[in-house]
Amino acid sequence: MLLLASYDVVFQEVPGETTLALNLSDCPHCCEGCHSPHLQQAVGEPLDSVLLEGLLVRYGDAVTCVGFMGGDGDLAEVNRQAAIVKRWGADLDAASRPLKTAWYSGYSELPPEIELKNFDYIKLGPYIEGLGPLGSPTTNQKFYRVEDGKMINTIFASR
């Protein structure tokens, strides 16, 4: 089960996208120096299809992407919820645009439960304080664009 601790519309997490960032709690990685340590606890409400679709109805016209920020404790559910976002956009009338999906994960490699067809962007790598965040030139984290079923490592512009 995924727990939604909070959400917000953000502009930096996915370059070129206006993203509805879903902050998911119960992170199993517990990285030292984490910028969101409250997300290491199991807090928030269950993110089910009803809650997700309600957020899509409310924010779908204002965003271009839905970002799952965490959810590493239930990989199958992150994958399933991303598939809902993909179907939601495709199920609307022809004039609407499909929403992109992103996943920020602390895993160093893509877990087998994650299907690339459900994502347009994936960030992998735990936060290692001495190496800096995603925008740092020394970071261990990688930001990928998914294209034709392949993960393409992109340069994440420094903030």
Side-chain angles (χ1 to χ4, degrees):
M1 173 174 54
L2 298 177
L3 293 173
L4 179 65
S6 62
Y7 60 89
D8 201 359
V9 175
V10 297
F11 303 96
Q12 292 186 347
E13 276 65 15
V14 181
E17 305 291 347
T18 302
T19 303
L20 175 61
L22 306 176
N23 298 310
L24 304 171
S25 70
D26 206 13
C27 179
H29 302 291
C30 301
C31 301
E32 189 173 329
C34 175
H35 80 292
S36 301
H38 64 285
L39 296 178
Q40 296 171 3
Q41 306 302 313
V43 297
E45 60 185 304
L47 180 62
D48 59 16
S49 58
V50 173
L51 177 56
L52 179 60
E53 289 178 13
L55 290 169
L56 294 176
V57 167
R58 183 173 180 187
Y59 292 99
D61 289 338
V63 299
T64 60
C65 183
V66 174
F68 296 89
M69 312 307 278
D72 292 17
D74 193 341
L75 299 172
E77 190 62 13
V78 168
N79 194 64
R80 191 178 80 74
Q81 296 289 353
I84 289 171
V85 173
K86 288 291 193 185
R87 277 193 313 274
W88 185 83
D91 288 346
L92 298 177
D93 62 57
S96 68
R97 59 178 163 61
L99 290 172
K100 294 179 183 172
T101 54
W103 180 44
Y104 266 53
S105 171
Y107 284 106
S108 295
E109 296 189 17
L110 187 70
E113 295 89 343
I114 299 300
E115 297 175 79
L116 289 178
K117 69 180 183 179
N118 294 325
F119 296 92
D120 298 286
Y121 305 97
I122 295 177
K123 189 283 299 180
L124 294 175
Y127 176 69
I128 299 175
E129 197 167 13
L131 298 178
L134 187 55
S136 169
T138 60
T139 189
N140 62 298
Q141 298 175 323
K142 304 279 189 222
F143 188 82
Y144 299 94
R145 185 178 71 249
V146 178
E147 207 170 273
D148 297 324
K150 295 184 181 18
M151 291 172 45
I152 300 165
N153 192 6
T154 63
I155 298 171
F156 196 90
S158 293
R159 297 171 194 197

